[in-house]
Amino acid sequence: MLHPKSRWITEKKNNDNAAILADQLKITPLVASLLVNRGYDSLEKAKAFLYSIDEFHDPFLMKGMDIAVDRIKDAIDKQEPILIFGDYDADGVTSTTVMMKTLEDLGADVQFYIPNRFTEGYGPNEGAFRYAASIGIKLIVTVDTGIAAVKEADVAKELGIDYIVTDHHEPGLVLPDALAIIHPRLDGSEYPFHELAGVGVALKVAHALYGELPEHLLQFAAIGTIADLVSLTGENRIIAKLGIKKLKQTANIGLQALLKQMKTEASGIDEETIGFMIAPRINAVGRLDSADPAVELLLTDDPDLAASLAEEMEAINKERQAIVNQITEEAIEQVETLYPLAENRVIIVGKEGWNPGVVGIVASRLVEKFYRPTIVLGFDQEKGIAKGSARSIAGFDLYQNLSTCREILPHFGGHPMAAGMTLALEDVDQLRQRLNQLAFDKLVPEDLVPLTAVDMEIDLKDAHLQAIEEMQLLAPFGVDNAKPRIVMDSVEISTIRKIGANQNHLKVQFQQEDTSLDGIGFGIGELYDHISPSAKVSVLGQLSINEWNNIKKPQIFIQDIAVKHWQLFDYRGIRNLEKLASAIPGNSATWIFFHKDSVPEALNSISDYKIIENLDDAASFQTENRILVLADFPHSKDIVQQLLASTVPERIYASFFKQDSDFFSTMPTRDHFKWYYAFLAKQNGFDLKKYGGELAKRQGWSKETIVFMSKVFFELNFVTMKDGFITLNKNSNRRDLTESPSFQQKQAQFSLENELIYSSYEQLKNWFDLILQKSVKNEEEVQEWI
């Protein structure tokens, strides 16, 4: 067997609806099933999802929009200085860009302000507002922030500054006393779509100010929407889809410079380009320093300045990557040395000097590696505080559990899956202890195995070009509209190999009946050693099209592989047990030695072994491990059968090492025995010690063959032997050679070696299958009886 890295969760849906939809829309069954699985199970819903890409809602349905628009237009008319107050992530940067471009285009006297993560922290702050008053600002408009800035709203009023909040974060019980709050989820608002990103809200304000949809701003709205991981359904889907279309033809000088730095063609932009390339570079600037250069890049019309800013952002992103990698390595070392997983169901790590701007990324990486709720903290010894970010797993509500520790968390906030916090250094150990107690109470071992949502199970033949091309109708993919994951069950592997400089990737060709499919698995090269030649695998991944030299072929990006049946791994011929041990996962195997003399003196890499020398040992054998290593050659087939009678292993690693083989020594035939008997009959006696070697050489045999035949004759009472001198018994009874214990043993060993050591892989697999089938039957009968 090969256990998957995660729990594959497939939700079964109505296949009848999929068949009807496929016929109505003239699409492939695969795509029809995907639509049904995502809730678009009628013609009306499916058509709206696939083809309605320009139905934007009226921005004035948002509560307060008319007040905000009137005040902004009044400020433009009077040329009152306006300040756009943004945030330092990609959503905040693009929100600031959208609002700046809109107001500049409408002739406003406008500038932007983004707080510094390290010196000011998140959101509006009194110092920034007093600075704004000092330079004559009459109107502050927040973007992607401000809904929780209750105190700051009062400061603005005190300073005589009008204050408009545009935000999408969760509204609190107390709202800021602002001139207007533009928010899609505000009580009393009639706006039909609640999941807009901050930039989506800014776009709606721009829409209201222009009087029509500002299509030229959709490219920025798409970046912020995809980067902020909001639901890519409804209006967000329209923003993302049309925005990507605009990005493919972008005339923005800053974006062109950034794409050039990334060595990416605009025509190839999709949601993954935004999520994994553009957004991280924008985010990196605000994570390490001021986010201003990112906004300036998107606003500038100067190609030289754009090139310089894009180069600066590229360098900052590389620096960010290096910092994240270093902190991740140090955090992993802390987990492995100080906070073992057996004792910690919540990971809390921290260190002086860890950059608080990137600890959220590190927390996500630790969750990916260890699948535990994780908090990563930067320690400030001088101030005596720890500041950091947390990420969680399904089943452990971070916000709820952190709320039980409020008295030691003076500043924290978030939601079930992510949070940020500040606490006293002296309280970190207490937080670790309390959260772990909660996790041990609430999480069972199964909860600590990652979950992977699977859209559907398909046959390999369904993964054809037309179906994969049609899947793009569902794009762009993201939250609540994930890129489809499929599972194919019981497919054969025709070829498999490791690739890459470090051999850490996997290239596979799958086969099912007459259909084949290429697969590539990045970062899973180690699975090569855990898939046997005869395995039928279940594979989880995402379908795509590989185009090379104008030839298109379907392929699958492999994310996980499982084998549901027992597997045989053939290591016959390997004499170095250390090498064999290195091929076996962890300390999960029980080694079986059939001869105590075979156990090596040094067992550095073998932690669990049993000596099984007879049937009684085999009958009493017990182990919790489901992986067996048959290290040396058994005395008999019966011992192996008895060993496997009460257990069905997931894997067998067969070595069957034998120092001296009987297979390649001559197994005398009856003609050999007949000739040797006749030879002895002609002699008055034969000195085996003195002339045995010479006789063997003359006949082309080994001396061991002569000795063996002599022993058989002695056991059958055909000869007498004394001090190596053999004399024929003239009056012995006629007996068959098979009555000799030595003949029986050698014949059995010869046959067993032929079956276990010198058989093909397929023959050996069949040999074990016959034994294990009986074991399975016995196990089923026992379970039925219980």
Side-chain angles (χ1 to χ4, degrees):
M1 289 186 179
L2 173 62
H3 294 285
K5 295 181 293 183
S6 64
R7 288 176 284 161
W8 303 354
I9 308 299
T10 306
E11 190 174 348
K12 301 294 183 182
K13 296 289 185 176
N14 191 328
N15 289 329
D16 293 339
N17 284 355
I20 294 169
L21 205 58
D23 182 61
Q24 290 173 328
L25 291 173
K26 306 304 178 192
I27 56 177
T28 58
L30 187 151
V31 174
S33 295
L34 287 172
L35 286 167
V36 170
N37 288 356
R38 290 166 191 233
Y40 308 105
D41 52 2
S42 69
L43 180 62
E44 182 181 4
K45 290 179 183 177
K47 287 178 74 173
F49 177 76
L50 294 176
Y51 306 120
S52 298
I53 60 168
D54 57 356
E55 296 180 2
F56 285 91
H57 303 301
D58 181 352
F60 287 98
L61 291 174
M62 282 194 190
K63 185 178 180 181
M65 184 67 80
D66 52 345
I67 299 171
V69 168
D70 287 346
R71 180 64 186 94
I72 292 170
K73 284 184 175 180
D74 186 52
I76 294 172
D77 291 341
K78 294 178 179 177
Q79 284 296 287
E80 292 178 335
I82 303 172
L83 182 70
I84 306 303
F85 195 103
D87 188 23
Y88 36 66
D89 66 0
D91 188 16
V93 165
T94 52
S95 299
T96 304
T97 301
V98 164
M99 198 63 74
M100 284 293 296
K101 282 186 172 291
T102 299
L103 296 188
E104 284 178 343
D105 193 29
L106 295 174
D109 177 5
V110 62
Q111 57 186 291
F112 71 89
Y113 187 99
I114 295 180
N116 186 288
R117 180 193 293 264
F118 303 99
T119 59
E120 298 174 84
Y122 171 78
N125 63 83
E126 182 174 345
F129 280 18
R130 293 195 179 278
Y131 164 76
S134 73
I135 62 173
I137 297 296
K138 297 300 180 184
L139 172 63
I140 294 177
V141 181
T142 72
V143 287
D144 189 37
T145 188
I147 195 66
V150 176
K151 175 188 172 185
E152 287 73 18
D154 294 337
V155 170
K157 182 169 284 190
E158 172 201 323
L159 296 169
I161 298 174
D162 283 337
Y163 185 48
I164 296 173
V165 173
T166 79
D167 200 356
H168 73 121
H169 294 97
E170 192 67 36
L173 294 175
V174 179
L175 297 177
D177 184 10
L179 179 67
I181 299 175
I182 312 301
H183 194 294
R185 291 197 300 277
L186 213 57
D187 285 346
S189 176
E190 297 178 4
Y191 202 73
F193 185 70
H194 295 171
E195 305 302 323
L196 290 171
V199 72
V201 179
L203 183 71
K204 302 310 295 187
V205 175
H207 187 170
L209 286 166
Y210 277 113
E212 61 183 6
L213 179 73
E215 294 188 9
H216 64 291
L217 300 178
L218 284 169
Q219 56 189 327
F220 309 110
I223 293 171
T225 296
I226 291 170
D228 213 50
L229 301 178
V230 291
S231 175
L232 277 196
T233 57
E235 202 165 23
N236 284 342
R237 172 175 168 79
I238 301 172
I239 290 171
K241 195 162 188 174
L242 292 181
I244 289 172
K245 189 175 179 181
K246 292 292 183 182
L247 279 167
K248 289 176 182 287
Q249 307 158 5
T250 186
N252 182 268
I253 299 298
L255 284 173
Q256 288 177 344
L258 190 61
L259 291 170
K260 186 176 181 180
Q261 273 292 326
M262 298 183 333
K263 298 179 173 58
T264 299
E265 294 291 333
S267 59
I269 291 176
D270 59 13
E271 67 273 18
E272 292 187 352
T273 314
I274 293 171
F276 296 109
M277 298 181 73
I278 296 175
R281 284 164 171 80
I282 295 175
N283 280 326
V285 184
R287 288 186 186 280
L288 300 190
D289 202 346
S290 167
D292 287 8
V295 179
E296 290 166 2
L297 176 80
L298 299 181
L299 292 178
T300 187
D301 291 323
D302 183 341
D304 293 334
L305 177 59
S308 175
L309 289 169
E311 186 176 352
E312 178 187 349
M313 289 173 64
E314 185 69 20
I316 291 172
N317 187 53
K318 288 179 180 176
E319 182 185 356
R320 187 270 307 168
Q321 290 172 331
I323 292 171
V324 168
N325 290 340
Q326 180 183 344
I327 296 176
T328 300
E329 288 178 11
E330 293 174 1
I332 289 172
E333 184 179 359
Q334 283 193 22
V335 174
E336 294 176 342
T337 58
L338 301 176
Y339 310 113
L341 298 184
E343 301 170 14
N344 290 271
R345 288 195 176 168
V346 175
I347 294 170
I348 301 181
V349 291
K351 186 177 178 181
E352 176 83 14
W354 281 0
N355 189 315
V358 301
V359 291
I361 301 174
V362 177
S364 294
R365 288 196 180 181
L366 296 188
V367 170
E368 185 178 337
K369 180 174 178 63
F370 298 114
Y371 203 68
R372 299 285 195 282
T374 299
I375 300 175
V376 181
L377 300 165
F379 293 163
D380 187 330
Q381 299 288 352
E382 187 176 326
K383 294 181 179 178
I385 62 171
K387 184 177 181 181
S389 293
R391 300 292 184 269
S392 196
I393 63 174
F396 191 81
D397 187 320
L398 258 183
Y399 186 82
Q400 182 187 71
N401 285 287
L402 286 169
S403 295
T404 67
C405 306
R406 284 182 183 273
E407 73 277 12
I408 60 172
L409 292 172
H411 303 289
F412 89 96
H415 53 78
M417 298 303 288
M421 72 207 65
T422 302
L423 69 158
L425 275 175
E426 61 189 22
D427 291 331
V428 172
D429 286 339
Q430 185 185 160
L431 181 66
R432 180 182 294 110
Q433 180 183 358
R434 289 171 64 171
L435 288 181
N436 265 298
Q437 184 60 56
L438 290 167
F440 272 99
D441 290 343
K442 296 178 180 181
L443 297 174
V444 297
E446 188 184 49
D447 293 329
L448 303 177
V449 179
L451 290 167
T452 301
V454 177
D455 285 88
M456 57 193 298
E457 185 177 311
I458 68 169
D459 290 329
L460 192 147
K461 67 177 185 296
D462 296 324
H464 52 77
L465 279 175
Q466 182 186 352
I468 299 172
E469 287 174 338
E470 273 187 8
M471 278 171 47
Q472 285 305 305
L473 291 170
L474 279 64
F477 300 112
V479 175
D480 295 332
N481 184 42
K483 193 170 186 178
R485 281 195 183 95
I486 59 93
V487 164
M488 296 181 294
D489 192 35
S490 296
V491 293
E492 296 177 354
I493 292 177
S494 54
T495 61
I496 181 171
R497 59 191 174 95
K498 295 180 184 180
I499 60 171
N502 298 317
Q503 298 286 281
N504 57 338
H505 309 309
L506 204 61
K507 189 168 180 61
V508 188
Q509 186 174 69
F510 299 104
Q511 191 81 28
Q512 195 173 47
E513 296 175 351
D514 297 328
T515 308
S516 63
L517 178 68
D518 292 336
I520 184 80
F522 294 108
I524 58 171
E526 79 280 356
L527 293 184
Y528 174 88
D529 297 315
H530 304 296
I531 300 173
S532 64
S534 63
K536 286 191 174 182
V537 302
S538 297
V539 56
L540 179 149
Q542 294 175 322
L543 296 171
S544 67
I545 295 173
N546 181 25
E547 187 169 356
W548 188 74
N549 274 356
N550 295 320
I551 298 174
K552 292 183 177 181
K553 289 182 66 177
Q555 71 173 0
I556 182 170
F557 285 110
I558 307 164
Q559 296 173 335
D560 205 355
I561 294 178
V563 179
K564 297 179 180 178
H565 57 78
W566 85 275
Q567 294 191 88
L568 171 65
F569 292 87
D570 189 354
Y571 282 86
R572 293 174 294 178
I574 287 187
R575 292 172 175 265
N576 186 341
L577 293 185
E578 293 289 334
K579 184 177 180 181
L580 173 56
S582 68
I584 298 169
N587 296 318
S588 55
T590 297
W591 289 63
I592 305 298
F593 291 93
F594 296 103
H595 304 266
K596 61 172 177 271
D597 295 340
S598 299
V599 181
E601 292 182 8
L603 290 172
N604 297 331
S605 55
I606 303 173
S607 60
D608 182 12
Y609 72 94
K610 305 285 185 184
I611 298 172
I612 307 292
E613 290 193 302
N614 52 54
L615 288 172
D616 289 340
D617 291 340
S620 61
F621 170 74
Q622 289 184 334
T623 181
E624 293 182 1
N625 292 329
R626 300 299 294 267
I627 298 178
L628 299 182
V629 182
L630 305 183
D632 60 345
F633 194 75
H635 295 282
S636 70
K637 181 177 180 177
D638 292 342
I639 291 179
V640 180
Q641 289 176 322
Q642 183 63 57
L643 182 71
L644 300 176
S646 58
T647 182
V648 180
E650 294 181 357
R651 304 186 194 180
I652 293 176
Y653 287 80
S655 172
F656 291 136
F657 174 70
K658 195 170 192 292
Q659 188 69 45
D660 299 309
S661 172
D662 291 304
F663 193 79
F664 290 107
S665 62
T666 302
M667 177 64 183
T669 66
R670 291 186 180 275
D671 286 340
H672 286 83
F673 281 101
K674 186 177 179 180
W675 184 92
Y676 188 42
Y677 188 89
F679 170 80
L680 293 175
K682 295 175 184 176
Q683 310 296 319
N684 259 337
F686 179 66
D687 193 332
L688 182 62
K689 284 185 179 179
K690 191 172 183 179
Y691 300 110
E694 184 180 328
L695 177 64
K697 187 176 180 181
R698 191 177 79 187
Q699 292 298 114
W701 302 339
S702 65
K703 185 176 180 181
E704 287 74 17
T705 301
I706 300 293
V707 171
F708 171 69
M709 289 193 294
S710 300
K711 188 176 181 181
V712 170
F713 284 164
F714 177 77
E715 289 174 350
L716 296 175
N717 201 31
F718 291 169
V719 299
T720 57
M721 296 178 65
K722 187 175 182 181
D723 296 329
F725 194 84
I726 302 175
T727 305
L728 197 67
N729 290 333
K730 301 288 186 182
N731 298 320
S732 60
N733 295 325
R734 186 179 181 86
R735 298 176 67 185
D736 193 88
L737 294 172
T738 56
E739 297 180 53
S740 160
S742 294
F743 187 90
Q744 293 172 6
Q745 183 180 2
K746 189 172 183 69
Q747 194 173 51
Q749 286 288 295
F750 187 88
S751 175
L752 194 58
E753 282 192 41
N754 187 33
E755 288 183 306
L756 299 188
I757 300 180
Y758 301 108
S759 56
S760 66
Y761 175 89
E762 291 76 13
Q763 290 170 329
L764 184 62
K765 176 72 164 50
N766 291 336
W767 189 88
F768 276 114
D769 276 334
L770 290 173
I771 295 174
L772 291 173
Q773 283 169 10
K774 295 177 182 177
S775 299
V776 170
K777 185 177 180 182
N778 291 341
E779 194 172 271
E780 289 173 348
E781 287 174 352
V782 169
Q783 290 173 348
E784 186 177 335
W785 179 77
I786 291 173

